Amino acid sequence: MSLFSNRGVLSSDYVPARLPFRDDQTNEVAEVLSPILHDSKPSNLLLYGKTGTGKTAVVRYVLSELRASTKTDKKDLIIAYVNTRNADTVYGVLAEFAGFLDLPEEDRIPFTGLSIAEVMKRIFRHIKSNRLHVIFVMDEIDHLVREEDGGDILYQFTRSGDRLTPGFITLVGISNDLQFKENLDSRVLSSLGEEELVFPPYTVDELRQILTERARSAFRPSVASPAAINLCAAMAGSEHGDARRAIDLLRIAGEVAEREGLKEIDDGCIRRASDKMEVDRVDEAIRSLPVQNKAILFAVSRFDGGTNTGELYIAYSSLCKKLGIETLTQRRLSGILGDLDLLGLVEASVVSKGRRGRTKKIQLLMGKDTLEKTLSEDPMFGAL
Ligand code: ADP
Ligand code: MG
């Protein structure tokens, strides 16, 4: 018999009926957007905070309340939600947005083929001529900003007022990356951030209460004890109070317990679940590296017990020849090593070598097998 009574409650896109500890944020988002109910344009709004602090959940919750409080025959109100990371490209974001607008047949946006300018023209024309009142939520907007043309598109949206009247678009940007504002044109920032809201990390105690509530509907009785929930909250909260991580940890611990034929989740399940999440995180981080970073990581793995910059550069250079890719300078290699260090994939620390000066000691932070297995999925590295 399964330990779960409703596993879906622990899935990442589940929006609970209540969001404890987020009343202030929920009220504020609702208040900023409420003018739309009286046909006037709400201010643009920017939300930011680290991952798992409830940004997406709060916004989705408010959007569904808004939808519920407007009459179904009200066709000029459009609420569009796009996750710009999932939509991948600027074109993809616009096409997904256009999907909410019900463009006339001849103006539909095909999967590919139009210029960005043409897509924008069709969207704006449609909003203007149908006097649409639009709320456009761009979740994980920092990804859009990093795309080529992403910043430019945002600029056009924030300056779109005259081109849209009597229709309008209110923009809601959500970012997990607190630094993303630095990459934004200051004019875009001041417009997008007419209203700003910061989501603080949850405390361990808040995580504990959130988990307790979820566990009640997710598991059969006595599967997730208070002690198990405490441990999940404490482990997930040790970096920053990330509710997603806490919920994932509890779900995976439940899966581990189930697979091992246990009746309840014990400490061992939770630790094994945490290890598994770490392995998955590392895998995912490796997979999404650019080819040069992969090559450098692979070169590091050729040295059991660590290496130094000079030795590594020689190994890296010959690897580049084998792969047929450009060989970067030693300086660039050092920069990329810093990135790999930040991702927790290598440790690159400066060590003193007495009179011979200082050098870097560089070490792989995962098993060589793990790295080789994940890299071999990339056709470029498969042959090695
Ligand atoms: P963010 O968008 O800030 O990264 P999410 O809104 O996706 O975070 O939240 C991550 C997970 O934690 C989701 O499953 C969400 O339902 C849950 N969650 C976040 N805040 C709360 C809360 N206050 N109460 C209950 N569940 C929450
Ligand atoms: Mg989110």
Side-chain angles (χ1 to χ4, degrees), residues 29 32-33 43-47 170-173 192 195-197:
V29 174
V32 171
L33 298 182
S43 301
N44 293 332
L45 172 63
L46 186 56
L47 310 176
T170 287
L171 298 171
V172 178
L192 191 59
E195 300 280 349
E196 283 194 350
L197 198 54

Side-chain angles (χ1 to χ4, degrees), residues 115-251:
S115 69
I116 299 282
E118 174 62 22
V119 175
M120 292 293 272
K121 198 164 104 194
R122 291 183 186 189
I123 289 174
F124 284 7
R125 188 168 61 207
H126 182 70
I127 292 173
K128 183 181 175 82
S129 59
N130 291 283
R131 307 163 165 259
L132 297 181
H133 299 167
V134 183
I135 293 180
F136 181 10
V137 179
M138 293 185 238
D139 203 349
E140 311 206 34
I141 195 174
D142 39 302
H143 283 269
L144 181 69
V145 174
R146 264 180 252 134
E147 289 282 327
E148 198 179 336
D149 297 334
D152 180 52
I153 290 302
L154 276 179
Y155 181 72
Q156 292 193 46
F157 272 114
T158 55
R159 300 285 131 161
S160 59
D162 294 344
R163 291 174 67 188
L164 297 176
T165 330
F168 61 72
I169 301 182
T170 287
L171 298 171
V172 178
I174 307 178
S175 175
N176 292 328
D177 174 5
L178 310 181
Q179 248 90 57
F180 102 106
K181 289 176 26 171
E182 290 162 16
N183 301 325
L184 218 52
D185 181 302
S186 62
R187 291 165 301 182
V188 174
L189 184 58
S190 64
S191 170
L192 191 59
E194 279 176 317
E195 300 280 349
E196 283 194 350
L197 198 54
V198 180
F199 282 58
Y202 291 111
T203 65
V204 169
D205 194 53
E206 288 170 346
L207 291 177
R208 186 178 59 72
Q209 292 186 52
I210 290 171
L211 285 182
T212 304
E213 206 153 303
R214 288 286 178 103
R216 201 173 293 142
S217 35
F219 292 108
R220 292 184 184 285
S222 76
V223 169
S225 67
I229 287 175
N230 281 348
L231 183 60
C232 285
M235 285 174 70
S238 63
E239 263 177 55
H240 71 268
D242 178 341
R244 174 173 308 119
R245 201 177 141 72
I247 293 169
D248 284 346
L249 183 58
L250 184 62
R251 187 191 68 249

